[in-house]
């Protein structure tokens, strides 16, 4: 870490005062022009250079002159925390809005000064004239200013979130995950979901580096430091947490979840649905694993050599193929296999012809009906699983939503097995088309073997999903009224339960039925917390918890964007 320089009062004679950032780093600010320099410039030689190059007419002035200028600068209100030297509110607001846009679009901080401002000045001069251009020139958009604006915006948003968490009438839920970014730094991301002003909010809480080990105690220490810094007792208000299945997170003896439950036994721990889905899909019989292995070898042969890739692309263009390139298989990306299999099945003729021209023995597989049938089945089943995976991604996904979709998928698999045993392949579109186009329906031996090749993996897949998703425990029968209290049976709540009185009363309110149709489930129940406290408390315990760590995964993708070499080479600060 570089040494942080301190301001000295003698720097006034060079035309500089001190400006402190939110992290208490001191920076020299010229009170003649308002410009803020980096902390590294906090030395006489740099300050004199600025004075002589930008304000040569004042370089020979005495100390009394600079003291008066500093007093005027401070009195006029231009000596601000952010280092902005012009008092007009619209210019300050414009600077903040640009900084917010730059941060939101994940662009380098320098883009404000090198791209946005020059273009804006040209457009204003052409449309509004030179006089208006001069007004716009005063907006500060330098790298340092944009960085300080973003820090200030971030601190303000975090302060609002902490205040809303403290004021929330219900406990909050948390999702967290850890990964190693492209600069080999281990990062911990934390998001929260809570109720505020009759709305369920999902907000980014913090991202902190794990400087050494990434054990559960390290994660817990960072979490404790953060909440103690903001004077917030998470032990009393934390309802549930969602994370992946890594040993550091869900280990039985020393995992993060285990340590949290030691402090707060009532906290509910959820293993991310997306990670469980990825684990459940890794059950393939040997014959299908061999097909996948051949597909990967084929893709690597064509894509890993630039010449082969170009020739194959030209071949696809000449044959008027729907696609021109194959996709790489990536084990760590959950949707990868389905996309790769689907693409290579769609280009099977082009692949076969290309491999034959290259005298590669793999082309024999693409002329084998049995292999193509298995390939089509794999492409179809992974396409189904990808659809389920995508459906439970995204913000605002509740455990109820994810559970319902997985229950439907499991029920469909039972029906698919029965249809396949009766020779109906309609649920497997690519397989059905291949069988129809190639007259394979008359090949009884092939179809009989195919039934076994499909039914057995489907059964194994179904068992695997049931193992990783104990759906009966996730969704209880007495919680069906949460999804729709106006259509549920009153007997879904026990007669001895006082919440039943509130449910009976709620079902009779026609105006509330209109609210239910126009609001989201979270907004509807949040608005009723005073009228039906027992029902709402129980409903929120099911609606608020995270089902996945999707937000963390999205955050990791953002880290890849803002920590790449091109972004850093612009001089931006991460």
């Amino acid at each position: 870490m570089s040494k942080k320089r301190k301001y000295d009062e003698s720097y006034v004679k060079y035309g500089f005062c001190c400006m402190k950032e939110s992290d208490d780093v001191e920076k020299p600010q010229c009170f003649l022009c308002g410009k803020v320099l980096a902390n590294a410039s906090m030395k006489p030689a740099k300050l004199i250079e600025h004075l002589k190059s930008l304000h040569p007419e004042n370089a020979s002035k005495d100390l009394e002159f600079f003291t008066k200028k500093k007093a005027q600068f401070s009195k006029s209100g231009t000596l601000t925390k952010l280092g902005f030297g012009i008092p007009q509110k619209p210019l300050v607001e414009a600077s903040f809005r640009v900084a917010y846009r730059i941060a939101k679009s994940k662009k380098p901080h320098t883009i404000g000064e090198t791209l946005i401002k020059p273009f804006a000045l040209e457009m204003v001069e052409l449309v509004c004239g030179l006089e208006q251009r001069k007004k716009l020139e005063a907006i500060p958009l330098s790298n340092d200013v944009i960085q300080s604006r973003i820090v200030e915006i971030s601190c303000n948003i975090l302060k609002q979130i902490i205040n809303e968490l403290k004021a929330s009438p219900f406990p909050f839920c948390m999702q967290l995950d850890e990964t190693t970014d492209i600069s080999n730094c281990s990062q911990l991301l934390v998001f929260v979901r809570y109720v505020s002003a009759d709305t369920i909010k999902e907000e980014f809480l913090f991202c902190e580096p794990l400087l050494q080990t990434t054990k559960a105690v390290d994660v817990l220490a960072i979490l404790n430091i953060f909440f103690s810094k903001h004077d917030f007792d998470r032990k009393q208000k934390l309802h549930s947490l969602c994370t992946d299945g890594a040993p550091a997170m869900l280990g039985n003896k020393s995992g993060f979840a285990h340590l949290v439950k030691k402090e707060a036994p009532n906290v509910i721990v959820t293993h991310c649905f997306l990670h469980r889905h990825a684990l459940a899909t890794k059950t393939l019989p040997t014959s299908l694993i061999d097909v996948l292995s051949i597909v990967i070898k084929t893709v690597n042969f064509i894509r890993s050599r630039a010449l082969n890739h170009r020739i194959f692309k030209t071949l696809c263009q000449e044959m008027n193929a729907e696609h021109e390139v194959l996709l790489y298989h990536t084990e760590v990306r959950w949707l990868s296999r389905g996309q790769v299999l689907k693409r290579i099945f769609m280009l099977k003729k082009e692949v076969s012809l290309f491999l034959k021209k290259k005298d590669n023995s793999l082309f024999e597989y693409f002329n084998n009906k049995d292999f193509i049938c298995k390939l089509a089945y794999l492409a179809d089943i992974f396409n189904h699983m990808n659809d389920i995976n995508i459906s439970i991604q995204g913000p605002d996904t509740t455990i109820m939503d994810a559970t319902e979709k997985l229950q439907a998928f499991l029920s469909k698999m039972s029906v698919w097995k029965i249809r396949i045993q009766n020779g109906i392949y309609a649920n497997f579109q690519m397989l059905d088309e291949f069988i129809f186009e190639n007259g394979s329906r008359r090949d009884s031996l092939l179809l009989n073997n195919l039934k076994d090749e499909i039914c057995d993996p489907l059964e194994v897949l179904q068992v695997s999903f049931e193992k990783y998703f104990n759906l009966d425990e996730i969704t209880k029968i007495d919680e069906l009224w949460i999804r729709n209290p106006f259509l549920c049976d009153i007997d879904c709540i026990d007669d001895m339960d006082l919440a039943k009185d509130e449910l009976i009363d709620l079902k009779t309110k026609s105006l509330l039925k209109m609210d239910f149709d126009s609001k989201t489930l979270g907004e509807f129940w949040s608005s009723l917390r005073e009228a039906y406290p027992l029902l709402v408390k129980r409903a929120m315990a099911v609606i608020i918890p995270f089902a996945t760590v999707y937000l963390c995964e999205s955050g990791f993708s953002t880290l890849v964007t803002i920590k790449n070499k091109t972004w850093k080479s612009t001089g931006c600060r991460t």
Side-chain angles (χ1 to χ4, degrees):
M1 182 180 293
S2 60
K3 180 182 177 182
K4 300 301 180 185
R5 299 180 180 275
K6 298 294 184 181
Y7 177 78
D8 190 281
E9 288 297 332
S10 63
Y11 295 162
V12 173
K13 62 185 179 183
Y14 307 128
F16 282 87
C17 57
C18 179
M19 187 275 291
K20 277 192 176 182
E21 287 194 330
S22 57
D23 56 358
D24 292 332
V25 175
E26 295 181 352
K27 291 184 175 182
Q29 181 178 21
C30 177
F31 50 72
L32 299 175
C33 63
K35 187 172 183 180
V36 181
L37 305 184
N39 178 264
S41 299
M42 191 88 78
K43 46 188 177 181
K46 295 280 188 181
L47 305 182
I48 292 173
E49 182 183 352
H50 173 86
L51 178 63
K52 290 183 176 181
S53 60
L54 296 183
H55 312 288
E57 71 280 3
N58 298 322
S60 59
K61 301 290 186 180
D62 57 12
L63 180 61
E64 184 180 356
F65 168 82
F66 288 109
T67 304
K68 288 181 179 179
K69 283 292 183 181
K70 180 183 177 182
Q72 293 172 1
F73 185 74
S74 178
K75 187 177 179 180
S76 65
T78 53
L79 183 57
T80 67
K81 181 180 179 182
L82 297 173
F84 177 49
I86 298 178
Q88 290 95 328
K89 183 179 177 181
L91 300 180
V92 178
E93 184 177 347
S95 179
F96 269 101
R97 286 181 179 272
V98 173
Y100 178 74
R101 291 282 184 178
I102 290 174
K104 195 173 181 180
S105 61
K106 302 183 282 291
K107 298 297 182 183
H109 300 164
T110 53
I111 198 174
E113 192 173 34
T114 60
L115 181 65
I116 296 174
K117 190 171 182 177
F119 279 5
L121 291 174
E122 288 181 16
M123 288 187 291
V124 169
E125 183 178 350
L126 287 171
V127 177
C128 303
L130 187 59
E131 191 65 29
Q132 300 301 321
R133 174 194 168 101
K134 291 180 180 179
K135 291 182 179 181
L136 213 62
E137 284 177 343
I139 300 175
L141 296 178
S142 67
N143 183 25
D144 286 344
V145 170
I146 294 298
Q147 190 265 345
S148 63
R149 296 282 191 264
I150 292 174
V151 169
E152 186 69 13
I153 291 170
S154 177
C155 291
N156 182 268
I157 292 173
L158 178 58
K159 185 178 179 180
Q160 291 181 51
I161 293 171
I162 294 296
N163 290 337
E164 288 177 348
L165 283 173
K166 291 178 179 178
S168 177
F170 301 101
F172 74 98
C173 298
M174 185 167 60
Q175 68 167 267
L176 70 162
D177 200 1
E178 172 271 329
T179 191
T180 301
D181 61 28
I182 58 175
S183 59
N184 289 326
C185 178
S186 181
Q187 303 280 1
L188 175 68
L189 257 64
V190 180
F191 287 80
V192 290
R193 182 187 280 171
Y194 59 95
V195 177
S196 177
D198 295 341
T199 304
I200 294 180
K201 290 187 174 183
E202 290 180 350
E203 297 288 352
F204 167 68
L205 194 62
F206 70 86
C207 174
E208 290 288 343
L210 294 162
L211 299 178
Q212 296 182 4
T213 59
T214 58
K215 297 177 181 178
V217 290
D218 302 315
V219 176
L220 185 61
I222 288 179
L223 210 64
N224 288 337
I225 291 170
F226 175 84
F227 283 112
S228 62
K229 179 181 177 181
H230 293 89
D231 192 25
F232 184 73
D233 186 8
R234 64 167 177 80
K235 298 175 186 177
Q236 298 297 323
K237 298 208 69 172
L238 179 61
H239 174 266
S240 69
L241 64 90
C242 179
T243 185
D244 64 1
M249 292 296 181
L250 292 183
N252 291 329
K253 295 183 179 179
S254 59
F256 171 76
H258 179 74
L259 297 179
V260 171
K261 288 183 76 70
K262 271 187 177 180
E263 298 177 347
N266 294 326
V267 171
I268 299 170
V269 179
T270 304
H271 183 186
C272 171
F273 275 58
L274 295 174
H275 285 81
R276 280 192 274 179
H277 180 278
L279 292 171
T281 58
K282 290 186 175 181
T283 54
L284 286 176
T286 305
S287 60
L288 295 181
I289 291 177
D290 292 340
V291 172
L292 183 60
S293 176
I294 292 166
V295 168
I296 295 171
K297 287 179 182 178
T298 303
V299 172
N300 290 341
F301 175 75
I302 296 174
R303 285 298 309 266
S304 62
R305 296 170 176 82
L307 178 60
N308 287 353
H309 176 60
R310 294 195 299 270
I311 295 173
F312 181 76
K313 184 176 181 179
T314 303
L315 176 65
C316 292
Q317 292 172 348
E318 291 174 352
M319 297 180 68
N320 295 320
E322 187 174 348
H323 302 283
E324 297 178 357
V325 297
L326 299 178
L327 302 177
Y328 271 126
H329 170 262
T330 308
E331 187 65 29
V332 296
R333 296 192 179 276
W334 300 319
L335 307 181
S336 172
R337 281 185 286 185
Q339 300 296 341
V340 171
L341 291 165
K342 182 178 179 181
R343 179 64 60 86
I344 204 165
F345 178 81
M346 296 176 72
L347 297 175
K348 57 184 180 296
K349 292 180 181 178
E350 291 80 4
V351 168
S352 176
L353 181 59
F354 178 82
L355 293 174
K356 189 173 182 180
K357 285 184 177 180
K358 289 291 181 178
D359 198 23
N360 190 306
S361 59
L362 291 173
F363 91 92
E364 296 177 358
Y365 291 103
F366 289 88
N367 291 326
N368 185 303
K369 284 187 178 182
D370 183 57
F371 175 84
I372 297 298
C373 284
K374 292 176 182 178
L375 172 62
Y377 163 72
L378 275 178
D380 282 323
I381 194 63
F382 275 108
N383 189 45
H384 284 304
M385 289 191 288
N386 285 357
D387 290 341
I388 293 296
N389 190 296
I390 292 172
S391 70
I392 60 178
Q393 290 185 33
D396 304 320
T397 301
T398 66
I399 291 179
M400 284 193 304
D401 297 329
T403 301
E404 288 173 355
K405 289 167 182 175
L406 287 165
Q407 284 176 328
F409 181 63
L410 287 172
S411 299
K412 286 177 183 177
M413 281 197 285
S414 299
V415 176
W416 294 347
K417 286 190 293 184
I418 296 172
R419 289 174 181 166
I420 290 168
Q421 289 168 351
N422 287 278
I424 300 173
Y425 301 92
N427 297 110
F428 301 89
Q429 183 179 0
M430 283 178 271
L431 176 60
D432 191 50
E433 288 177 0
F434 178 77
I435 292 174
F436 178 79
E437 290 173 359
N438 291 270
S440 300
R441 296 190 189 280
R442 296 187 295 273
D443 192 338
S444 58
L445 180 60
L446 175 64
L447 290 179
N448 288 333
N449 292 336
L450 188 60
K451 290 177 184 179
D452 295 334
E453 291 284 355
I454 295 176
C455 289
D456 291 344
L458 270 180
E459 189 169 346
V460 172
L461 184 64
Q462 189 173 11
V463 171
S464 179
F465 267 85
E466 290 171 351
K467 172 188 172 184
Y468 283 102
F469 297 96
N470 196 341
L471 301 179
D472 292 335
E473 291 185 4
I474 296 174
T475 303
K476 299 177 182 177
I477 189 69
D478 61 355
E479 292 170 348
L480 295 177
W481 55 268
I482 298 174
R483 177 59 77 185
N484 192 327
F486 300 98
L487 296 179
C488 71
D489 186 358
I490 291 294
D491 294 331
C492 66
I493 296 182
D494 188 81
D495 291 337
M496 299 298 105
D497 193 339
L498 295 179
K500 189 166 187 175
D501 298 345
E502 294 185 359
L503 182 61
I504 293 172
D505 184 57
L506 176 60
K507 285 175 67 69
T508 61
K509 301 293 178 65
S510 57
L511 289 178
L512 291 180
K513 177 67 169 62
M514 296 172 62
D515 276 353
F516 179 80
D517 294 335
S518 60
K519 294 180 178 179
T520 65
L521 197 61
E523 291 173 343
F524 172 76
W525 285 112
S526 298
S527 65
L528 301 177
R529 67 173 183 270
E530 294 182 2
Y532 305 101
L534 295 177
L535 285 179
V536 173
K537 183 179 179 181
R538 197 173 299 175
M540 286 301 168
V542 177
I543 295 172
I544 296 180
F546 285 106
T548 70
V549 291
Y550 169 82
L551 297 176
C552 288
E553 298 294 346
S554 300
F556 295 145
S557 297
T558 300
L559 279 178
V560 172
T561 301
I562 66 175
K563 295 196 76 171
N564 66 66
K565 292 181 179 179
T566 304
W567 203 91
K568 280 185 158 185
S569 67
T570 60
C572 298
R573 298 172 186 175
T574 56

